Structures are given as structure tokens and as C-alpha cells.
Amino acid sequence: VASGFLGVGVTCLFMMIGMLLFIYVQTIPQSELATVAATLKAQGKNGDLFLHYIVKCLPAGLTGLIIAAVFAAAMSSIDSELNAMSATFVNDFYLPWSSRTEFIKGDEGEEAEAIATSKSNGATSKIMKVAKIATIVSGIFLIGLALLIADFHAANPDTDLLSIALGIMTFFYGGLLGIFLVGLLTDERGSQTTTIAGLLLSTVLVVVISKSGWGLAWPWFIIIGTLSSVLIALLGKSDNGNKVVDSAPR
């Protein structure tokens, strides 16, 4: 919850910076930054104005601190992504299907207990090795993806990569948000089958709408994907709806 409020604060901060830059350019039209702003506007690269302001208008020491902060934030984000991808692979794929984990498929408690046993029965070192390999593979994959995007941008310099990135994410965010809402708001609806179907079909629906030529802006895709994902997921009945977990101390 706190991170959500912090995100709103950071967004407001960047909006304030943009407004102050606009005021600066409008009130001092003869400045070098105003000339740069006009050039960037003609090229459709208004987002680069802040970078020019940091490099050309701020004192040298402050410029260095901001650039160092940018690199630090980038490294912090990248290592979090690599850790998340590695942990997801280990916990969702390796542990359930590894040869060290043997359980009779059925009760979720039995599966969780078997995975916990796998972690404790001398498998920690092997799990760490798998996690490291997954991190390396994820890093190679992300490097290759970054090179492809850089090559695409070099071949299409007029393309707004930020809009493309946000537009692609909207294909999937609606389905994920729909699944989250179903799990949060109800315990009796939403089976594994209908949940997966809701995620997949909502993504397909958004892709079809985006290619239909209706002219809908990409923020609408999240709303459409969320609604369709929720409606499809609610068609199934949860297997956990009638289960009562007795967690009282004995």
C-alpha cells in the first residue's frame, strides 16, 4: 500500500518537473533550452528535454549526482527483475516438477509440504544453483531483447518506444488485474480452468480490438481486458470455496 502512495508521489513529482520546464521555456524564449525544445518538438521527442536540461543547465556536480542516481535506479530495477524471474522459475516450475519433490497430486497442503521437504532435505544447494542459472539465462534473454529493441529504434527513429512499451503491457495487464480482483473479492468463484481461460481470452480479445481499426486508445485495453477476464473467470467454481482452514493453535 505504501509503495502505491509513493508511486503517486513520484508521478506528481515528474509532472511538476514537466510543468516547470514548460514555464521556463515559455518565459525565457531566447534561451538555449527554448531552442532545443523547439527542435525536439519538431522531431516528436519532447521527452528528451529534461535530459538536455540536466546536462546543459544544471551545475556540473549536481548533473553528476543525477546521472549517478539514474544509473543506480536502473541497476536496482534490473536486479529486482532478474531476481523475480529466477524466483518465479524456481518456485513455479523447478520445485513442483523436480525429481526431489514427490507427492500425490491432490491436496494443496500435501504439495506445499512436499516442496518444503524438498527444500530441507539437502536440496538447498541445488536449488541455489538452479536459481543462479535461471538468473543468467534471464539476463541473456533481457540483453537480447534490449538489443532487438535498440536495432528496431535505429531502423525506425521516429517511433515512440515508450508508447509501444505501454501499449504492449496493456495487452496483459487487464487479464492480470481481472484475476487479482476475482481472487480478492470472492472465495467461491473462479476455478483454475476459467482463470487461465480468462487470462488468455482477454489477451486475445484486446489484441483483436487493437487490430480492428476502431481507434480506441491503448488505456482502454486495460479496462476491456479486466472486465472480460473477470467475467470469464467467474464462470467457474473455486475448489477452495468450501474449504475451512483451521489455523487455531492446539
Side-chain angles (χ1 to χ4, degrees), residues 81-146:
E81 294 167 0
L82 292 174
N83 180 67
M85 295 175 71
S86 174
T88 299
F89 174 79
V90 170
N91 288 285
D92 292 347
F93 294 95
Y94 174 73
L95 284 179
W97 295 326
S98 66
S99 58
R100 292 180 179 269
T101 304
E102 298 179 359
F103 59 90
I104 300 175
K105 191 173 181 61
D107 189 2
E108 292 183 357
E110 294 178 2
E111 179 175 348
E113 183 178 355
I115 292 176
T117 303
S118 174
K119 290 182 179 180
S120 61
N121 288 343
T124 303
S125 59
K126 185 174 183 179
I127 293 174
M128 288 298 299
K129 182 178 180 180
V130 173
K132 292 177 181 179
I133 295 175
T135 302
I136 295 174
V137 173
S138 299
I140 294 174
F141 170 76
L142 293 178
I143 290 173
L145 183 62

Side-chain angles (χ1 to χ4, degrees), residues 20-39 49 53 56-57:
L20 291 175
L21 286 174
F22 177 79
I23 294 173
Y24 182 92
V25 171
Q26 293 297 317
T27 54
I28 312 178
Q30 69 277 11
S31 64
E32 180 182 358
L33 189 64
T35 303
V36 173
T39 303
L49 181 61
Y53 176 78
K56 296 184 178 181
C57 299

Side-chain angles (χ1 to χ4, degrees), residues 190-242:
S191 65
Q192 180 177 355
T193 302
T194 57
T195 299
I196 296 176
L199 176 62
L200 297 177
L201 293 179
S202 64
T203 303
V204 173
L205 177 61
V206 170
V207 172
V208 171
I209 292 177
S210 67
K211 301 296 183 180
S212 64
W214 291 354
L216 286 177
W218 55 262
W220 283 101
F221 297 162
I222 297 180
I223 300 176
I224 296 173
T226 301
L227 292 176
S228 59
S229 177
V230 169
L231 292 176
I232 296 173
L234 290 177
L235 294 177
K237 186 175 181 181
S238 175
D239 297 330
N240 300 323
N242 298 322

